[in-house]
């Protein structure tokens, strides 16, 4: 069947049958045999997705009006059901999912070339998948986030969309959210990494973003997730992404959530005023220390061939914005401010010490000492510097 004949046959049906048939056709195209016509097949798949799945173009290739809300919801359910019932590879696991379905997901929701409204559909689909325990969608989303980078625009928009359209509308007792690390660990770990970049972000040129706090529901959820499994933060590192990707794809390096989440804990005493929230940051800090110390140890003992990851980097563990904020706080010269600075320095010291003990810190020792010596004097800090210099 040639390029145009496929489209003509699909146009004989109305929604939802046309969309269902298009999904099946796309599955055949994407997971078909490689041939000289592969490029044409990929173009056909993208055209079918645009016209018959998301209704973004008409048969003439021109843009169409946004679909109705009812149609939008019906499409969400249809895609969700398609992933739930389509088990192409029998031995899929709860990290990487189904390789063929991952390829379909990546084609439905690519990084480039799709209209902006596709991002909204992705956020809605992942929200529905979390609520309905549709793990294959979450596994595919986790693979896509890691492949594109957890700090990429794609992953950041997904994480930010989930905060605004899902997290803020649920209670802390949501069972599907609690079970997410168990049902989709790679997605959960990569989501934490993306979330960590949304708040207290020292990489942005927008100074207001440097001191933006995460919503309480996000903070509570992250703490609960890490406490439920100290190994969770390492999931992206020990997952064999190659077997999750289409043939010929090159897996990208994993990024772990430690640095971003530790940064939350460092900034919090200087920026957060709510005492209950401060207690949560303290709990998060303890959970991260436990994960660095015990999580990797547990996994490395079971899998000695896995290379050691890095939880902290010498060059980014103490960002300039944090140093500046510490200096500004010290100038206030009151008891509460000095106590807050003391907590920050102790947390920095504890996190670096944990990374040194677990041998998961990256960078030159002398560079680290030079940075630590710029911090306010502290007995615990002095002990750490002496240990590093030995």
């Amino acid at each position: 069947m040639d390029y145009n004949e496929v489209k003509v046959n699909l146009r004989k049906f109305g929604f939802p049958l046309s969309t269902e048939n298009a999904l099946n056709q796309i599955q055949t195209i994407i997971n078909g045999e490689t041939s000289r016509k592969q490029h044409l097949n990929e173009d056909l798949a993208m055209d079918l997705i645009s016209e018959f799945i998301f209704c973004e173009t008409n048969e003439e290739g021109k843009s169409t009006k946004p679909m109705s809300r009812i149609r939008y919801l019906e499409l969400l359910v249809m895609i969700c059901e398609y992933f739930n019932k389509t088990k192409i590879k029998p031995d899929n696991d709860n990290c990487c999912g189904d390789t063929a379905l991952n390829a379909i997901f990546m084609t439905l929701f690519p990084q480039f070339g799709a209209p902006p409204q596709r991002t909204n559909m992705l956020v809605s689909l992942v929200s529905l998948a979390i609520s309905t325990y549709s793990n294959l969608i979450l596994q595919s989303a986790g693979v896509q986030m890691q492949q594109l980078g957890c700090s990429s625009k794609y992953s950041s928009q997904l994480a930010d969309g989930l905060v605004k359209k899902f997290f803020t509308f649920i209670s802390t007792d949501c069972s599907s959210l609690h079970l997410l690390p168990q049902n989709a660990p790679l997605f959960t770990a990569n989501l934490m990494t993306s979330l960590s970049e949304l708040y207290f972000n020292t990489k942005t040129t927008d100074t207001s973003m440097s001191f933006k706090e995460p919503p309480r529901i996000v903070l509570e959820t992250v703490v609960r997730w890490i406490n439920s499994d100290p190994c969770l933060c390492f999931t992206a590192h020990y997952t064999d992404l190659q077997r999750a990707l289409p043939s010929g794809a090159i897996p990208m390096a994993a990024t772990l959530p430690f640095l971003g989440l530790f940064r939350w804990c460092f900034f919090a005493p200087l920026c957060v005023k709510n005492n209950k929230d401060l207690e949560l940051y303290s709990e998060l800090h303890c959970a991260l220390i436990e994960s660095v110390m015990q999580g990797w140890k547990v996994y490395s003992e079971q899998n000695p061939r896995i290379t050691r990851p890095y939880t902290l980097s010498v060059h980014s563990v103490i960002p300039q914005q944090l140093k500046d904020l510490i200096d500004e706080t010290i100038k206030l010269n009151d008891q509460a401010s000095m106590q807050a600075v003391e907590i920050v320095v102790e947390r920095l010291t504890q996190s670096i010490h944990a990374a040194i003990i677990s041998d998961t810190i990256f960078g030159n020792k002398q560079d680290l000492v030079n940075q630590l010596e710029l911090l306010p004097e502290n007995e615990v800090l002095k002990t750490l510097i002496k240990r590093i210099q030995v």
Side-chain angles (χ1 to χ4, degrees):
M1 191 178 295
D2 65 21
Y3 194 101
N4 291 320
E5 191 177 351
V6 172
K7 292 184 176 181
V8 170
N9 284 342
L10 287 173
R11 288 177 187 137
K12 294 177 181 178
F13 306 95
F15 181 85
L17 195 56
S18 61
T19 301
E20 183 178 338
N21 290 340
L23 281 169
N24 292 329
Q25 186 67 51
I26 291 162
Q27 176 184 318
T28 302
I29 292 170
I30 293 174
N31 298 306
E33 294 183 5
T34 303
S35 68
R36 289 180 298 175
K37 295 183 178 181
Q38 184 177 11
H39 181 68
L40 289 175
N41 287 340
E42 290 174 353
D43 287 344
L44 174 57
M46 298 305 292
D47 284 351
L48 296 183
I49 289 170
S50 183
E51 181 178 346
F52 297 100
I53 307 299
F54 298 111
C55 304
E56 296 158 346
T57 59
N58 58 23
E59 59 184 87
E60 298 176 351
K62 297 180 180 178
S63 298
T64 60
K65 295 180 180 180
M67 67 181 75
S68 68
R69 292 183 180 180
I70 294 177
R71 176 76 169 266
Y72 185 93
L73 291 173
E74 289 176 333
L75 179 58
L76 276 178
V77 173
M78 180 176 292
I79 296 176
C80 199
E81 289 179 346
Y82 170 79
F83 273 81
N84 286 340
K85 71 180 181 181
T86 307
K87 190 175 182 181
I88 302 173
K89 186 182 73 172
D91 59 337
N92 59 286
D93 58 38
N94 70 340
C95 263
C96 294
D98 187 296
T99 305
L101 284 180
N102 292 342
I104 294 170
F105 184 93
M106 291 176 178
T107 309
L108 288 172
F109 301 100
Q111 182 178 21
F112 303 111
Q117 59 265 32
R118 194 89 64 91
T119 301
N120 294 330
M121 176 66 75
L122 173 61
V123 171
S124 298
L125 180 65
V126 173
S127 299
L128 180 61
I130 295 173
S131 300
T132 58
Y133 305 93
S134 299
N135 299 332
L136 283 171
I137 289 177
L138 300 177
Q139 290 153 14
S140 293
V143 169
Q144 177 78 317
M145 291 174 76
Q146 184 163 333
Q147 189 64 0
L148 298 179
C150 293
S151 59
S152 66
K153 182 179 179 181
Y154 181 99
S155 299
S156 297
Q157 286 180 336
L158 174 56
D160 189 47
L162 289 173
V163 171
K164 293 175 179 176
K165 296 183 179 181
F166 182 71
F167 278 88
T168 54
F169 293 101
I170 60 173
S171 70
T172 54
D173 297 325
C174 177
S175 60
S176 61
L177 205 57
H178 294 174
L179 294 174
L180 203 56
Q182 178 182 331
N183 294 332
L186 182 63
F187 170 75
T188 308
N190 286 337
L191 177 59
M192 284 197 297
T193 303
S194 295
L195 288 171
S196 75
E197 297 296 326
L198 294 180
Y199 309 101
F200 294 121
N201 187 347
T202 57
K203 298 177 184 178
T204 179
T205 55
D206 183 357
T207 54
S208 64
M209 287 291 291
S210 299
F211 310 116
K212 182 181 177 182
E213 302 173 33
R216 184 178 178 83
I217 180 66
V218 172
L219 181 58
E220 288 177 330
T221 301
V222 169
V223 170
R224 185 187 291 267
W225 281 345
I226 299 175
N227 278 331
S228 72
D229 181 6
C231 297
L232 180 64
C233 292
F234 293 100
T235 304
H237 178 76
Y238 62 68
T239 296
D240 181 9
L241 201 65
Q242 183 66 73
R243 62 192 177 88
L245 299 173
S247 176
I250 301 174
M252 296 294 103
T255 306
L256 305 186
F258 288 104
L259 185 59
L261 295 179
F262 268 126
R263 189 175 63 238
W264 290 9
C265 301
F266 302 155
F267 273 92
L270 306 176
C271 302
V272 178
K273 304 303 179 184
N274 186 297
N275 288 331
K276 290 185 177 180
D277 286 349
L278 286 172
E279 290 176 6
L280 276 174
Y281 283 106
S282 179
E283 189 176 346
L284 174 61
H285 178 70
C286 292
L288 289 169
I289 294 292
E290 176 72 12
S291 182
V292 171
M293 295 286 288
Q294 299 299 326
W296 175 245
K297 179 181 178 182
V298 170
Y299 190 82
S300 60
E301 289 176 350
Q302 299 171 353
N303 302 272
R305 294 184 180 180
I306 298 293
T307 57
R308 190 173 296 276
Y310 294 117
T311 57
L312 292 177
S313 169
V314 167
H315 300 291
S316 52
V317 67
I318 312 176
Q320 186 60 47
Q321 290 94 326
L322 181 61
K323 295 177 184 176
D324 294 342
L325 190 57
I326 289 174
D327 291 341
E328 291 174 11
T329 306
I330 290 174
K331 291 178 183 178
L332 297 176
N333 198 29
D334 59 75
Q335 185 177 356
S337 298
M338 299 309 294
Q339 186 177 3
V341 170
E342 187 81 5
I343 293 173
V344 173
V345 174
E346 287 183 359
R347 286 183 182 176
L348 277 164
T349 304
Q350 291 165 357
S351 60
I352 293 170
H353 189 206
I356 290 173
I357 291 175
S358 62
D359 194 21
T360 60
I361 189 167
F362 175 79
N364 181 273
K365 286 185 177 181
Q366 188 56 49
D367 289 343
L368 178 59
V369 170
N370 292 341
Q371 289 198 62
L372 294 175
E373 288 179 338
L374 296 175
L375 296 173
E377 288 191 7
N378 178 287
E379 290 302 317
V380 179
L381 179 60
K382 287 181 181 178
T383 303
L384 176 62
I385 292 175
K386 288 180 181 179
R387 178 191 174 100
I388 296 172
Q389 292 175 326
V390 171

